[in-house]
Amino acid sequence: MIAEKSRFQTVPDDPTRTQIYTLRNGLRLFMSVNPEEPRIYTEIAVRAGSKHDPADTTGLAHYFEHMMFKGTDRLGSLHWEKEKPLLDAICALFEEHRREKDPEKKKKLYAEIDRLSAEAAQYVAANEYDKLVSAIGAKDTNAYTWVEQTVYVNDIPGNELERWFQLECERFRRPILRLFHTELETVFEEYNINQDRDFRKVLRAMQEMLTPSHPYGTQTTLGRGEDLKNPSQQNIYDFFDRYYVPNNMAIILCGDFDPNEAVRLAEKYFGAYQAREIPPFHFPEQPEIQQRTQRDVFGNEAPWVEIGWRFPGASSEAALLLPLVAGILHNHQAGLFDLNLLQKQQVLEAYAYPRVYEDFSSLLLHGKPREGQSHEALEKCLLGEIEKLCRGEFEDWLPEAVIKDMKLSEIKEYEKNQGRAAALTTAFVLGLDWSDVTARWKTLEGVSKKDITDFARKFLRPDNYAVVYKHTGPDPNILKVEKPPITAIQLNRTDLSEFGREFLNQSTPEIQPQFLDFDKTIRKARLGKNVGLKAVQDPSSLLFRLFYTFDMGKNSNPRLGLAAAYLPYLGAGNLRAAEIQQAFYRLGLHFTASCQDEQFFLSLSGLSESFHEGIELMDQVLHQAEGNADALHNMVEDILKRRENEKRDKRTVLSKGMVNYAKYGRLSPFTDKLSKEQLRQVQPDELAGMIRELRTYKHEIFYYGPLSSRNAAQALKKYVRPTETLRKPLPPKKYRELPTTRNQVFFVDFPTVQVELLLLSKGTPRFRLEEAVIAEWYNQYFGYGLSSIVFQEIRESKALAYSAYAYAANPGRKNQAHYLQAYVGAQPDKLHEAVQAFQTILEDMPVSETQIEHARQSVTKQIAASRITKGDIYWTWRQNRRRGIRNDLREDVYQTLKNAGVEDLLRYQRENIKGRAFTWMILGERDRIDFEFLKKIGPVKELRLEDLFGY
């Protein structure tokens, strides 16, 4: 079949050059061709989300998203005739369980569901969908559900488009709710995770006030706990029949492919799907907000204030203006918040952002208080800037500059296939024509300053907003539940369904890999006797990126980190700090400094047309930086406040505090910081002097953009100081990585619904190429993805966690160690089983030769279809150099795995994983932890937050 050219729709001046094609059944294809690498980023979007959930089974859309990975009567089934009666019986039992009120009878019904589920599982090819999609070289396989959409994601090699269509066609044909009760428990673990995330609580409170009788405010994407524990399979099938129809779906393809071929395949595989009438979505008119409304939310994280106003939905003129209004308030450089609150250090954090849904939108303000600042004072600060917006107290040029910055952000997004797909999916979900999305710039460019102030006075009044005060403290609304008795399901990792076998027996032309020759792709030039330039030219790019890189960081001098943070507050010559930020912003540029443990970066990026003006302004800042005593004093106090806030963030406690303690002990790059007294003794001229002196140290300059290396060097030469000899970088302080010689347990008492378990084990003490190469294969088979051993054992079989993984981490430097890391987050009463499961599979890795081979093929196909482009070429070269590698590491992985066999992976596991000792890091509430069990793992040491943070 040849697609009818007349049915391809395009939009003039569309930077993504998207072609839109609608099948006769209403299914829409959005296709953006990008030949930069032989891959296609795919999204299948369904206009059905949590606002469509039945009121008595909230969370259904999200739960069904999980079930869409379980297969059909053909995909994932080893014997459908025997499996179907068992699944029918389970479905009926769930309906009976849902109606039953007697707790004891409900337990008996659940026990029968558990028994039948174990029997039905023997007819299931475990995670077959993920096996098949991995076998074609897909990566980033995932899905997400939100208010008005459910979206299924894959990034596939360009030569596998037909097999992808074939697989997705089967998956969407008629999903089967197999392995239902274990997945249900997984979803509840995700619910528990989000009980510990304060932003979710604040979002819910805000929506309840802004849209009190709309599903935006009455139900959440994850649903109510009681609904999750009483599901209805019948309601799920009804939901699928109602919304998963072609005229309510879109396929988004961005990458290297032929749109005519894509249409042919869409017609072949999805053309027979029958369109159905989609029930209209009705909602009551929302009451007018006529006064300030407040909610108080509690949680362990640091306090903040959230303010919101309600607006009409996505198709309204108001929704179109919201990003512009938000940008005038906050754009990281020249907005009202940036100049009046952040630059003047009136608050710890402040930003504004729009949230646009189909039926209603909102403008939200977020602020975090400085030490001693009340919620009320913070709210007053934020509203004060709204008053200035209404009075027009902002520069006349600011709206135009905000629009330029928004365009700049869009150009950056559209460089990647994923960014294009996200924009196309959003337009489809919100019911917006792509022509209106691309044409919005003309509308925005016609908006005057008066239009903005009129808009602000009309909508952003002092009597029509909602405010949430987020407090630090125990949350009385936390729902804590014990796990139901679930029998571990025995998974069949080896066998495939007939569909799976036929799918894998198909052959496709191979993509030949392309590996980088860094000497050819990175051009070199000299800026003077001592400074070198490396450049990657992209003649078509509208953007440039310029980096000054110094091989010294916080480990060399902790004051370097202070200098990086201090830079935005420094004036230079006749320019005040705020004027510098405004000047960069007007040019469409961003100038930043960042300091890592062993590296310092200066970065200038933005519109290529502003390159010469930008480097002149940057040079003035670096050459004439002047200290500001008041700014330094406030910055130090804010640093101390942020340090205290970090102790309330469990992700920081676990992934930084506990991990660094396990690696190094009390003294680590994380804890070795300037004390409160030392911070307060730092002088402004000392830090300003460090900025001025930076370029007297040996450094390297990297340029990416449309200029050749010669032209870029010519532009930069006049700003290179005539220094006879550049100083050597300051040597870093070394921190000894501790050996993992025995099993031990580190415990931290922390208020959390879940218990977080992180394992760490130090391996080979230096970068070892042979180990790094096979680690990619091991991770794919054992620790990553839906078909990995960890996922199958921890989540699929035993329903112990929503999130579980393991990976062999290769070091970033040649003198650093290889580490094995694993994680699971679960309810406290599942800790025993989670520990035992990891102990078993890490020591004696389950072996499926078929699955091992699929993992090998997946890694090689991903590499063959991947391309390193643009500025990533330089950063890849730099990373490889730090490891002592001169060539493209991917080539070593590809060539080794191309000829590898099962025994190679098993040898890797025996030599590098089996028999290792681990540090078991556990974060949870002390009174919910069985310490006698922990002692069986190894010696238990309870750590305080002061031990982890050093203060």
Side-chain angles (χ1 to χ4, degrees):
M1 170 214 160
I2 299 177
E4 299 174 35
K5 289 290 184 183
S6 60
R7 293 176 62 189
F8 278 98
Q9 298 175 343
T10 58
V11 174
D13 302 320
D14 175 9
T16 68
R17 300 181 298 279
T18 295
Q19 300 180 58
I20 305 169
Y21 191 96
T22 304
L23 273 60
R24 299 189 188 281
N25 59 12
L27 177 68
R28 276 182 274 180
L29 272 68
F30 295 83
M31 299 169 288
S32 175
V33 175
N34 176 19
E36 193 163 272
E37 62 175 339
R39 299 197 68 87
I40 308 169
Y41 195 88
T42 75
E43 294 190 353
I44 299 180
V46 184
R47 296 190 73 211
S50 54
K51 87 171 187 183
H52 303 96
D53 286 342
D56 61 345
T57 44
T58 59
L60 186 151
H62 171 247
Y63 184 62
F64 180 60
E65 168 221 310
H66 283 241
M67 299 310 300
M68 280 291 292
F69 289 84
K70 303 300 183 182
T72 66
D73 55 351
R74 297 174 63 226
L75 172 62
S77 183
L78 299 175
H79 202 309
W80 178 240
E81 291 73 16
K82 292 184 178 180
E83 185 188 16
K84 184 180 186 303
L86 295 169
L87 296 183
D88 290 344
I90 291 169
C91 180
L93 284 170
F94 266 112
E95 296 303 318
E96 189 176 349
H97 176 270
R98 175 178 163 79
R99 294 189 297 268
E100 183 57 64
K101 303 301 181 185
D102 186 324
E104 291 304 315
K105 290 182 179 179
K106 288 178 81 75
K107 286 181 181 180
K108 290 181 180 179
L109 288 168
Y110 209 86
E112 181 62 9
I113 289 171
D114 183 63
R115 186 189 70 80
L116 291 175
S117 297
E119 186 177 347
Q122 66 183 307
Y123 304 116
V124 176
N127 298 103
E128 187 166 79
Y129 172 82
D130 193 68
K131 287 179 183 178
L132 301 187
V133 79
S134 296
I136 66 174
K139 60 182 182 179
D140 300 331
T141 300
N142 210 337
Y144 68 88
T145 305
W146 194 228
V147 174
E148 285 153 338
Q149 71 264 45
T150 308
V151 182
Y152 300 87
V153 179
N154 274 297
D155 186 340
I156 64 171
N159 63 328
E160 292 287 6
L161 185 59
E162 175 152 16
R163 282 209 287 179
W164 174 82
F165 262 111
Q166 180 184 355
L167 182 58
E168 296 296 353
C169 169
E170 178 60 27
R171 173 159 71 143
F172 279 83
R173 180 176 59 81
R174 184 68 176 176
I176 296 300
L177 305 182
R178 58 170 58 94
L179 305 179
F180 186 86
H181 78 315
T182 52
E183 195 65 30
L184 177 65
E185 193 62 19
T186 296
V187 171
F188 206 89
E189 287 296 348
E190 186 176 1
Y191 175 88
N192 284 334
I193 290 171
N194 284 280
Q195 289 193 90
D196 286 329
R197 292 178 177 168
D198 290 353
F199 81 91
R200 286 272 192 173
K201 303 175 190 178
V202 170
L203 169 62
R204 179 172 183 174
M206 180 62 70
Q207 288 300 145
E208 286 175 348
M209 289 186 286
L210 293 179
T211 50
S213 58
H214 188 284
Y216 295 164
T218 60
Q219 52 200 51
T220 66
T221 297
L222 293 178
R224 290 184 293 267
E226 56 269 29
D227 290 346
L228 293 178
K229 287 299 183 183
N230 292 282
S232 166
Q233 291 195 0
Q234 187 57 55
N235 283 4
I236 290 174
Y237 280 122
D238 291 344
F239 185 89
F240 172 79
D241 291 336
R242 184 176 301 117
Y243 295 111
Y244 278 63
V245 294
N247 46 314
N248 199 42
M249 297 168 59
I251 294 176
I252 294 88
L253 304 174
C254 300
D256 188 13
F257 65 98
D258 176 1
N260 285 291
E261 176 67 4
V263 169
R264 183 187 72 81
L265 294 172
E267 291 281 12
K268 176 180 178 180
Y269 289 104
F270 282 88
Y273 281 36
Q274 296 298 309
R276 295 195 192 97
E277 184 177 351
I278 303 163
F281 181 80
H282 298 293
F283 57 89
E285 183 176 346
Q286 299 304 287
E288 185 176 351
I289 301 173
Q290 297 179 317
Q291 62 181 3
R292 173 189 180 276
T293 308
Q294 179 182 328
R295 289 281 181 89
D296 294 273
V297 168
F298 292 83
N300 191 63
E301 297 174 26
W304 76 78
V305 168
E306 199 96 6
I307 299 173
W309 287 267
R310 188 180 73 208
F311 291 85
S315 61
S316 67
E317 182 181 355
L320 177 67
L321 288 176
L322 284 180
L324 175 57
V325 173
I328 291 172
L329 290 170
H330 169 70
N331 54 57
H332 300 283
Q333 289 176 265
L336 292 173
F337 284 8
D338 306 299
L339 299 178
N340 301 326
L341 299 182
L342 298 173
Q343 186 68 233
K344 295 180 180 179
Q345 298 166 305
Q346 298 297 302
V347 301
L348 191 65
E349 289 181 17
Y351 54 84
Y353 62 102
R355 181 179 289 131
V356 179
Y357 296 148
E358 185 179 22
D359 302 327
F360 293 101
S361 303
S362 54
L363 178 69
L364 296 156
L365 314 181
H366 175 98
K368 282 190 177 177
R370 302 186 72 228
E371 181 62 35
Q373 190 174 35
S374 67
H375 286 84
E376 291 79 7
L378 177 56
E379 179 184 355
K380 185 176 180 180
C381 283
L382 297 173
L383 292 178
E385 301 311 306
I386 295 296
E387 293 173 7
K388 293 175 185 176
L389 177 70
C390 293
R391 294 195 298 264
E393 295 179 16
F394 54 89
E395 300 287 353
D396 292 345
W397 52 261
L398 185 57
E400 181 182 353
V402 170
I403 293 170
K404 180 188 287 188
D405 189 53
M406 290 166 63
K407 287 183 175 179
L408 177 64
S409 297
E410 184 176 271
I411 292 171
K412 291 178 181 177
E413 287 294 315
Y414 290 171
E415 285 182 344
K416 301 291 186 181
N417 292 330
Q418 184 174 356
R420 298 182 183 198
L424 291 165
T425 295
T426 297
F428 168 72
V429 167
L430 294 179
L432 302 176
D433 285 339
W434 185 242
S435 59
D436 292 336
V437 174
T438 57
R440 74 190 188 282
W441 300 120
K442 293 180 181 178
T443 304
L444 289 174
E445 287 165 356
V447 174
S448 67
K449 182 175 181 178
K450 183 178 183 301
D451 293 331
I452 294 169
T453 55
D454 288 347
F455 176 86
R457 285 193 294 268
K458 176 181 178 180
F459 288 103
L460 305 178
R461 303 193 310 271
D463 62 350
N464 71 333
Y465 69 91
V467 59
V468 178
Y469 283 1
K470 162 61 188 59
H471 304 273
T472 300
D475 184 353
N477 299 313
I478 289 293
L479 174 64
K480 296 181 180 179
V481 298
E482 293 185 359
K483 70 178 181 70
I486 292 179
T487 303
I489 290 172
Q490 299 302 310
L491 298 177
N492 187 327
R493 296 190 183 89
T494 303
D495 294 337
L496 291 168
S497 67
E498 183 178 349
F499 177 89
R501 289 193 300 272
E502 292 175 355
F503 184 89
L504 293 176
N505 284 335
Q506 299 174 39
S507 60
T508 53
E510 288 190 6
I511 293 176
Q512 293 304 309
Q514 292 182 12
F515 302 112
L516 291 172
D517 183 334
F518 294 113
D519 292 332
K520 292 181 179 180
T521 53
I522 300 176
R523 299 297 182 181
K524 301 176 183 178
R526 302 299 303 176
L527 304 184
K529 181 178 179 180
N530 300 303
V531 181
L533 170 73
K534 289 185 170 58
V536 174
Q537 185 182 15
D538 182 356
S540 64
S541 179
L542 299 175
L543 309 178
F544 79 93
R545 298 175 179 91
L546 181 71
F547 291 89
Y548 285 60
T549 63
F550 303 81
D551 285 326
M552 58 185 187
K554 288 180 283 188
N555 291 358
S556 301
N557 183 348
R559 286 168 175 76
L560 280 171
L562 287 182
Y566 195 36
L567 182 60
Y569 302 108
L570 302 184
N574 61 340
L575 294 176
R576 295 180 292 109
E579 292 173 331
I580 291 171
Q581 296 299 319
Q582 288 176 311
F584 278 120
Y585 193 72
R586 289 190 73 174
L587 291 169
L589 301 175
H590 297 273
F591 175 52
T592 62
S594 61
C595 187
Q596 300 175 357
D597 287 343
E598 297 186 4
Q599 293 176 301
F600 191 101
F601 300 98
L602 294 169
S603 169
L604 178 69
S605 63
L607 295 172
S608 294
E609 63 190 44
S610 301
F611 176 67
H612 292 84
E613 293 171 281
I615 57 177
E616 182 178 359
L617 181 58
M618 179 182 71
D619 181 74
Q620 180 178 346
V621 173
L622 296 177
H623 188 56
Q624 303 179 31
E626 299 174 354
N628 181 324
D630 290 339
L632 177 58
H633 170 77
N634 290 331
M635 186 183 83
V636 166
E637 296 307 308
D638 287 349
I639 287 172
L640 296 173
K641 176 65 174 176
R642 287 191 175 93
R643 287 182 179 181
E644 290 304 311
N645 289 348
E646 283 182 334
K647 294 181 180 179
R648 300 186 178 101
D649 184 344
K650 74 174 185 178
R651 289 159 294 187
T652 302
V653 174
L654 182 66
S655 63
K656 292 185 178 179
M658 296 187 77
V659 166
N660 274 276
Y661 192 95
K663 279 188 175 182
Y664 303 100
R666 284 183 177 274
L667 185 64
S668 72
F670 181 69
T671 59
D672 195 4
K673 301 174 181 175
L674 295 175
S675 67
K676 180 189 298 185
E677 293 73 21
Q678 290 173 319
L679 281 171
R680 287 173 173 166
Q681 290 171 5
V682 175
Q683 297 300 308
D685 289 342
E686 177 185 3
L687 297 183
M690 294 178 76
I691 295 294
R692 293 193 299 268
E693 294 173 3
L694 265 175
R695 290 180 294 176
T696 66
Y697 287 92
K698 184 179 179 182
H699 60 279
E700 183 174 85
I701 301 176
F702 167 61
Y703 168 84
Y704 163 78
L707 297 178
S708 67
S709 57
R710 175 178 294 183
N711 289 340
Q714 194 64 37
L716 291 164
K717 272 183 181 178
K718 62 184 291 188
Y719 303 108
V720 175
R721 303 304 167 199
T723 305
E724 187 66 28
T725 304
L726 293 180
R727 291 187 278 181
K728 292 182 179 180
L730 300 174
K733 182 176 181 178
K734 300 297 182 182
Y735 300 90
R736 177 174 172 264
E737 295 177 322
L738 302 176
T740 312
T741 56
R742 63 171 183 170
N743 286 316
Q744 57 184 338
V745 179
F746 292 157
F747 173 78
V748 171
D749 182 29
F750 197 87
T752 174
V753 175
Q754 285 200 314
V755 59
E756 311 272 342
L757 171 63
L758 189 65
L759 288 74
L760 194 70
S761 177
K762 181 184 176 184
T764 307
R766 296 177 64 83
F767 180 82
R768 181 168 168 259
L769 181 60
E770 297 82 0
E771 188 173 339
V773 166
I774 302 296
E776 297 287 331
W777 187 10
Y778 174 80
N779 291 336
Q780 183 81 21
Y781 172 70
F782 182 77
Y784 287 161
L786 304 181
S787 61
S788 68
I789 297 299
V790 169
F791 182 93
Q792 290 178 349
E793 288 294 317
I794 303 295
R795 176 167 158 171
E796 192 86 340
S797 172
K798 299 179 174 65
L800 297 177
Y802 169 74
S803 178
Y805 63 80
Y807 68 92
N810 297 322
R813 283 187 176 272
K814 62 183 178 181
N815 59 351
Q816 293 176 337
H818 292 254
Y819 278 88
L820 185 70
Q821 184 168 314
Y823 167 85
V824 64
Q827 295 176 44
D829 55 2
K830 295 180 179 179
L831 180 60
H832 291 211
E833 294 175 72
V835 169
Q836 291 165 353
F838 262 125
Q839 286 175 326
T840 300
I841 61 177
L842 283 168
E843 185 66 15
D844 296 306
M845 181 178 72
V847 175
S848 167
E849 294 191 6
T850 302
Q851 198 167 327
I852 290 173
E853 172 59 17
H854 291 161
R856 185 193 66 82
Q857 292 179 16
S858 180
V859 174
T860 57
K861 288 185 177 183
Q862 287 178 31
I863 292 174
S866 68
R867 300 290 183 266
I868 298 173
T869 62
K870 303 184 185 296
D872 291 342
I873 295 172
Y874 170 79
W875 298 111
T876 302
W877 167 80
R878 188 173 174 85
Q879 175 66 40
N880 286 356
R881 187 180 67 173
R882 286 157 62 90
R883 289 168 164 169
I885 303 170
R886 307 299 298 180
N887 63 303
D888 187 342
L889 177 60
R890 297 175 307 142
E891 185 172 6
D892 294 292
V893 176
Y894 183 84
Q895 297 299 345
T896 300
L897 296 192
K898 193 70 175 173
N899 302 306
V902 171
E903 183 53 37
D904 294 301
L905 183 65
L906 300 183
R907 185 186 309 111
Y908 170 89
Q909 197 274 338
R910 289 195 303 268
E911 295 177 356
N912 297 284
I913 311 298
K914 189 176 180 66
R916 287 173 74 152
F918 288 89
T919 297
W920 299 71
M921 291 166 278
I922 297 174
L923 184 76
E925 294 183 346
R926 184 188 294 108
D927 60 359
R928 304 179 73 195
I929 300 296
D930 183 351
F931 281 89
E932 292 303 314
F933 171 75
L934 296 187
K935 291 175 183 177
K936 296 177 182 178
I937 302 173
V940 178
K941 182 175 183 179
E942 184 167 352
L943 301 172
R944 303 168 303 160
L945 293 179
E946 291 76 11
D947 299 322
L948 304 180
F949 288 83
Y951 48 84

